[in-house]
C-alpha cells in the first residue's frame, strides 16, 4: 500500500515562531498536497505540487509556504506562526493518471 | 470556482437503520466525485469514487450514484453498523481525477447501539 509519512505528529509552537512540517512519500507519485483540517471546514487545500522544485497555491495559501526539493519530499512552512494556524495538517500524494489521494497520518499543530 | 456542499454536519442513527449522506456540487466541467471516510484519529481514506453518470458504485456496503443532471453524489447504506461511525467527506476533481481536489465540509456520522 502507498505510504505517506508526516513529521512531527504533533507540535506546539509559539506565536511568531517558524514551523516546518515535513512529508515523505515512497509511492513514486508526482502529485503532493497539503491540506488543513478544522472542525466545520473539512479539508482545505493550502499548497500542492506536480513536480519537484515547483509548487502551486491552493485555496488558502496565505501565511504558508511550500517546498518540494525532491519527488519524495514536500514541506509546509509557517514563517510566522499565528494562533489561527492551530489545526490538523494532512499531507497527501497522488499518482499521475490515478485519482486516489493517499493521506499521511496528520500533524496536530497548536500555536500558543 | 468548484464547490462541494454537504448539508448535514452531524448525523446520529441507531445501528441497523439506513443512512443517506447528501452531497451536491458545482463545477464547470464533468467531474470525478469521491467519498472519503475518516475514522477517529486516523487519516482519510478513499471509500468510493465515480465519474460515470447514473451508474451505482459500491464498496464495503456503501453505495452512491453520480447524477450529473442534479449535480449530486449522495452516499447510502442500507444498514449501518457501529464501525461506520466516522467523518465522511465528499470531494470532486477534474475529469481525470487529478490536480486540485475540492472537499466538502464533512458529515460526522455517529451510530448508537
Amino acid at each position: 500500500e502507498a505510504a505517506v509519512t508526516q513529521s512531527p505528529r504533533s507540535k506546539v509552537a509559539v506565536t511568531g515562531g517558524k514551523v516546518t512540517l515535513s512529508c515523505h512519500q515512497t509511492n513514486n507519485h508526482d502529485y503532493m498536497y497539503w491540506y488543513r483540517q478544522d472542525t466545520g471546514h473539512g479539508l482545505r487545500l493550502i499548497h500542492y505540487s506536480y513536480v519537484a522544485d515547483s509548487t502551486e497555491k491552493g485555496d488558502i495559501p496565505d501565511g504558508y509556504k511550500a517546498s518540494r526539493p525532491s519527488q519524495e519530499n514536500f514541506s509546509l512552512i509557517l514563517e510566522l506562526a499565528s494562533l489561527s494556524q492551530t489545526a490538523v495538517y494532512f499531507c497527501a500524494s497522488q499518482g499521475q493518471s490515478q485519482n486516489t489521494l493517499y493521506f499521511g497520518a496528520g500533524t496536530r499543530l497548536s500555536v500558543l | 470556482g468548484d464547490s462541494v456542499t454537504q448539508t448535514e454536519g452531524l448525523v446520529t442513527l441507531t445501528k441497523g437503520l439506513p443512512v443517506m449522506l447528501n452531497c451536491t456540487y458545482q463545477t464547470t466541467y464533468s467531474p470525478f466525485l469521491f467519498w472519503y471516510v475518516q475514522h477517529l484519529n486516523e487519516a482519510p481514506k478513499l471509500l468510493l469514487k465515480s465519474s460515470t453518470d447514473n451508474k451505482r458504485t459500491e464498496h464495503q456496503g456503501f453505495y452512491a450514484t453520480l447524477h450529473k443532471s442534479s449535480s449530486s453524489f449522495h452516499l447510502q447504506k442500507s444498514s449501518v453498523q457501529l464501525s461506520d461511525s466516522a467523518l465522511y467527506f465528499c470531494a470532486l476533481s477534474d475529469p481525470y481525477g487529478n490536480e486540485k481536489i475540492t472537499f466538502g465540509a464533512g458529515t460526522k456520522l455517529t451510530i448508537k447501539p
Side-chain angles (χ1 to χ4, degrees):
Chain A
E1 183 166 315
V4 179
T5 305
Q6 292 183 233
S7 61
R9 291 295 314 277
S10 66
K11 183 172 180 65
V12 178
V14 295
T15 304
K18 182 177 181 178
V19 176
T20 300
L21 306 183
S22 299
C23 180
H24 179 80
Q25 55 107 351
T26 58
N27 310 322
N28 199 33
H29 286 168
D30 291 324
Y31 298 86
M32 295 188 75
Y33 304 83
W34 276 107
Y35 285 91
R36 168 179 172 155
Q37 184 174 33
D38 301 274
T39 303
H41 288 281
L43 293 162
R44 293 185 289 175
L45 183 63
I46 306 171
H47 285 287
Y48 59 107
S49 171
Y50 300 147
V51 67
D53 295 322
S54 178
T55 63
E56 307 290 335
K57 293 181 179 180
D59 297 320
I60 54 164
D62 293 346
Y64 302 94
K65 292 183 179 179
S67 174
R68 183 94 182 268
S70 64
Q71 186 193 42
E72 297 81 14
N73 296 294
F74 191 38
S75 298
L76 185 68
I77 304 147
L78 290 66
E79 294 280 3
L80 295 170
S82 67
L83 293 173
S84 63
Q85 292 177 314
T86 292
V88 178
Y89 293 84
F90 285 100
C91 176
S93 74
Q94 181 188 49
Q96 193 171 18
S97 302
Q98 300 176 15
N99 47 40
T100 299
L101 286 175
Y102 293 91
F103 285 88
T107 295
R108 185 173 298 275
L109 175 65
S110 297
V111 182
L112 306 176
Chain B
D2 299 336
S3 67
V4 176
T5 301
Q6 294 181 247
T7 52
E8 308 97 357
L10 295 169
V11 173
T12 302
L13 287 172
T14 300
K15 173 185 172 182
L17 291 179
V19 65
M20 184 171 83
L21 306 183
N22 290 311
C23 173
T24 57
Y25 62 89
Q26 285 189 317
T27 183
T28 57
Y29 48 73
S30 183
F32 224 113
L33 269 294
F34 307 84
W35 276 100
Y36 281 82
V37 58
Q38 183 182 22
H39 288 94
L40 188 63
N41 296 324
E42 295 184 6
K45 293 180 181 179
L46 180 69
L47 180 58
L48 46 80
K49 61 185 179 184
S50 178
S51 62
T52 306
D53 198 13
N54 297 318
K55 180 180 178 181
R56 177 164 153 161
T57 300
E58 299 187 36
H59 186 63
Q60 297 181 338
F62 287 91
Y63 59 95
T65 303
L66 176 59
H67 292 297
K68 294 182 180 179
S69 61
S70 59
S71 299
S72 68
F73 191 56
H74 305 320
L75 181 67
Q76 296 179 263
K77 190 174 186 183
S78 58
S79 176
V80 293
Q81 305 302 310
L82 294 175
S83 59
D84 294 329
S85 293
L87 190 55
Y88 292 82
F89 293 103
C90 185
L92 73 84
S93 74
D94 69 19
Y96 306 102
N98 285 329
E99 301 196 10
K100 242 176 64 169
I101 298 174
T102 301
F103 284 81
T107 298
K108 183 177 181 180
L109 177 64
T110 301
I111 307 302
K112 294 185 174 182

